[in-house]
Amino acid sequence: MSKAIFYARVSTSEQTSDHQEQQARLAGFDIDEVVTDHGTSGVTTKLAERPNGKRLFDMLREGDVLVVRWVDRLGRNYQDVTDTIRAFMRRGVIIKTVINRMTFDGSTTDPTQQAVRDALIAFMAATAQAQAEAVKEAQKAGIAFHKNASPEKFKGRKPSFDRAAFDQVMALHQAGQGQSAIAKATGLQRNAVIRITSDPAKVDATLSRWGM
């Protein structure tokens, strides 16, 4: 007996599988089972490599229907999405999208219909990847803008000591002095001495970011 499986990919805390499922049911889809992947990237993680995405390849049989909100839930990588849809169609699985009500069915033998179907698959997969790349570029541009506008926010907390104090602490530490003795000798708080001696490379990088 054929079944309809709804697949949801939830990549951020703002998204929910319940919301995606509700959209499908309100659009008139009868769903027998819901499969969800949480916190997975559609760009870097192929559907077959996701914990529940790979379950679809075991669950779906000829005559079954795979419902997704849109093809970007399957992935945002052109090659992966097109390969996935075609692999399911070869099994006799029908893929349907809630948005735009697209249907991808591998049963057609008419070459013109096949060409139109394959062109739509390619277009939608390319659009999904392009949208992901646009979001990534926008995020990079936003970070770059804020770095220029408020560089202090990206430097971390400004150290309460300078490079000379850092060098002095490291010299005493390498000479075998204890943290309390170093704090007394340099006039620094013991917590600062602990921070320096515990991870000098990190502290050195922070001083460099602040031009110290």
Side-chain angles (χ1 to χ4, degrees), residues 46 76-86 122 125-126 129:
K46 294 181 179 180
R76 289 183 177 274
N77 176 278
Y78 173 84
Q79 197 63 56
D80 180 43
V81 173
T82 54
D83 287 349
T84 295
I85 292 177
R86 286 168 182 156
Q129 179 170 332

Side-chain angles (χ1 to χ4, degrees), residues 155-211:
K155 291 179 180 179
R157 183 178 179 182
K158 186 175 183 179
S160 58
F161 47 84
D162 57 16
R163 175 70 63 176
F166 170 78
D167 292 340
Q168 187 180 7
V169 169
M170 290 306 300
L172 292 171
H173 176 63
Q174 291 166 2
Q177 294 293 312
Q179 293 166 339
S180 296
I182 295 174
K184 185 175 181 180
T186 60
L188 296 178
Q189 294 290 327
R190 187 169 181 272
N191 286 341
V193 173
I194 293 173
R195 188 163 66 252
I196 292 171
T197 56
S198 297
D199 195 347
K202 181 178 179 180
V203 175
D204 178 67
T206 301
L207 288 168
S208 296
R209 283 198 298 272
W210 282 93

Side-chain angles (χ1 to χ4, degrees), residues 61-66 85-97 101-110 113-118 120-121:
R61 298 288 185 271
E62 183 176 0
D64 289 343
V65 177
L66 172 62
I85 292 177
R86 286 168 182 156
F88 284 141
M89 288 196 304
R90 283 194 294 270
R91 294 186 179 194
V93 176
I94 299 171
I95 299 93
K96 294 187 176 184
T97 68
R101 308 286 293 201
M102 293 290 184
T103 297
F104 301 116
D105 187 347
S107 64
T108 181
T109 58
D110 180 88
Q113 292 180 0
Q114 288 176 338
V116 172
R117 178 202 64 199
D118 293 345
L120 279 172
I121 292 171

Side-chain angles (χ1 to χ4, degrees), residues 65-80:
V65 177
L66 172 62
V67 182
V68 290
R69 181 178 176 273
W70 200 59
V71 295
D72 66 343
R73 296 303 88 192
L74 295 176
R76 289 183 177 274
N77 176 278
Y78 173 84
Q79 197 63 56
D80 180 43

